[in-house]
Amino acid sequence: MTKQIGVISDIHSNYTAFKAAAEYMIGRGITEFFLLGDYVSDTTDAVETMQYMRELMGKYKVTAIRGNREDYLLGQRKVIRGESDEPLWIYNSACGNLLYTYELLTDEDLDFFESMPISFKYDCPGYPAIICCHGSPENSRELLLAKDGSAESWLKKVDTDYIVAAHTHIQTELEAEGKHYFNTGSTGIAIHAPGQAQCLILHGYDENEPEGPSWKAELLNIPYDVDYVIDALYEKGLMDKGKWFIANNVYVLKTGKDITVDFLKKAASLQEEATKEPVTWPYIEEEYFTEAAKIVGIPDYRERA
């Protein structure tokens, strides 16, 4: 082994988890990082996350791309500037979390996101090339999963033997026909790992190794103070602004179980059934989120116990 790269993604404003993951890697001697997007939203500490990200980039070799959350925020800036006819965000369970985050960020932050690509090809002499992306190489919102064949399909498309991705919040290691797919999981809101910051270290083996050049992934789950992160949702006002969506995030942070997609779809379908009219996101009434939460099994964390 002659090279190590730390890979962190899906921080979701969880500065506490981000710092724990980065400091663990730095303690292991890591001096190069890939940051794969979704830096902010969903928890409170967007400002601290952006500051720490810039500090990391000032001290180490860091390659950063944007994720779908950054794309959402850039899209809302276009709405505010009159450059898009997409809906304005409001404080409700559908998008209050995003609006809260948007109001914490500066134009400098958004320009920073806009400067990032959604994927890149890592080429280092002596090592196999890697395609790095948030969702897929072409779409920050696309999910690459082992269970449905989408990750394997993309391995067949790319001209490298390795893809490193994120977005799913599910740590994954997949080999197909001699090619490899690694997913970091989520540093900030991990699935199947409550109270853990998920990330990975890429261990590089160069052309001088007996088996030839390769990359191996060390999947990591780093403990952090999740109770602070949950408390901050109440103390810093995000629960009041994001309502049921943030109650859902508390459920994920506490249990590692994620039923977010089912929850949001159920709220929209309940309103559609009741009004007999198509739902225009994000204009979903709170009563339907309340009903949806009961149906899918999300406890009412809107008030602190």
Side-chain angles (χ1 to χ4, degrees), residues 10-279:
D10 294 271
I11 298 162
H12 291 282
S13 294
N14 191 339
Y15 161 71
T16 305
F18 181 21
K19 186 177 181 183
E23 288 187 346
Y24 174 84
M25 290 180 176
I26 291 165
R28 291 273 302 270
I30 302 294
T31 59
E32 183 172 3
F33 292 88
F34 297 158
L35 303 180
L36 300 187
D38 277 15
Y39 307 110
V40 293
S41 79
D42 293 355
T43 62
T44 61
D45 293 347
V47 173
E48 294 85 349
T49 296
M50 296 304 300
Q51 180 178 346
Y52 191 71
M53 184 177 173
R54 289 187 170 99
E55 289 174 5
L56 205 65
M57 297 179 88
K59 293 178 181 177
Y60 303 100
K61 182 178 180 182
V62 177
T63 306
I65 60 177
R66 71 180 189 269
N68 57 294
R69 296 291 175 161
E70 288 73 52
D71 283 338
Y72 297 162
L73 291 158
L74 291 169
Q76 187 65 186
R77 181 163 73 167
K78 289 182 178 179
V79 173
I80 291 169
R81 289 177 170 178
E83 298 168 358
S84 169
D85 59 3
E86 291 295 311
L88 271 171
W89 291 340
I90 58 174
Y91 278 127
N92 72 350
S93 292
C95 63
N97 154 64
L98 293 169
L99 180 55
Y100 175 97
T101 301
Y102 186 90
E103 290 179 346
L104 288 173
L105 299 176
T106 65
D107 269 333
E108 182 183 4
D109 294 326
L110 294 170
D111 290 343
F112 181 39
F113 294 152
E114 197 163 35
S115 73
M116 297 175 183
I118 64 164
S119 64
F120 68 96
K121 185 175 183 179
Y122 181 77
D123 276 308
C124 183
Y127 298 87
I130 311 170
I131 294 291
C132 299
C133 51
H134 178 73
S136 78
E138 294 180 353
N139 185 343
S140 67
R141 298 181 65 178
E142 186 174 357
L143 296 165
L144 300 193
L145 298 167
K147 65 181 181 181
D148 66 0
S150 51
E152 185 173 349
S153 176
W154 264 105
L155 282 174
K156 293 176 181 178
K157 292 180 189 179
V158 299
D159 63 355
T160 67
D161 288 340
Y162 295 86
I163 295 177
V164 179
H167 186 41
T168 67
H169 292 213
I170 301 171
Q171 280 190 329
T172 307
E173 185 170 0
L174 170 70
E175 181 178 355
E177 299 179 12
K179 291 189 166 192
H180 303 266
Y181 168 73
F182 305 134
N183 192 299
T184 62
S186 171
T187 298
I189 305 183
I191 298 176
H192 309 314
Q196 308 283 310
Q198 294 184 324
C199 49
L200 65 82
I201 296 174
L202 287 172
H203 296 286
Y205 300 84
D206 66 17
E207 56 197 1
N208 297 313
E209 296 290 332
E211 296 180 359
S214 66
W215 294 97
K216 291 182 171 37
E218 179 184 354
L219 302 178
L220 299 171
N221 290 271
I222 312 299
Y224 70 92
D225 187 357
V226 70
D227 290 333
Y228 160 78
V229 176
I230 292 171
D231 287 344
L233 298 173
Y234 300 93
E235 293 168 4
K236 297 186 179 183
L238 181 51
M239 184 64 76
D240 291 336
K241 302 290 179 66
K243 306 179 189 300
W244 271 110
F245 187 88
I246 300 304
N248 169 74
N249 287 351
V250 172
Y251 179 70
V252 182
L253 288 165
K254 283 178 174 287
T255 67
K257 299 175 183 176
D258 185 10
I259 49 178
T260 307
V261 173
D262 290 341
F263 171 50
L264 297 178
K265 285 182 177 178
K266 177 57 70 174
S269 68
L270 287 169
Q271 179 165 313
E272 224 171 63
E273 290 167 10
T275 63
K276 311 301 182 189
E277 294 180 1
V279 169

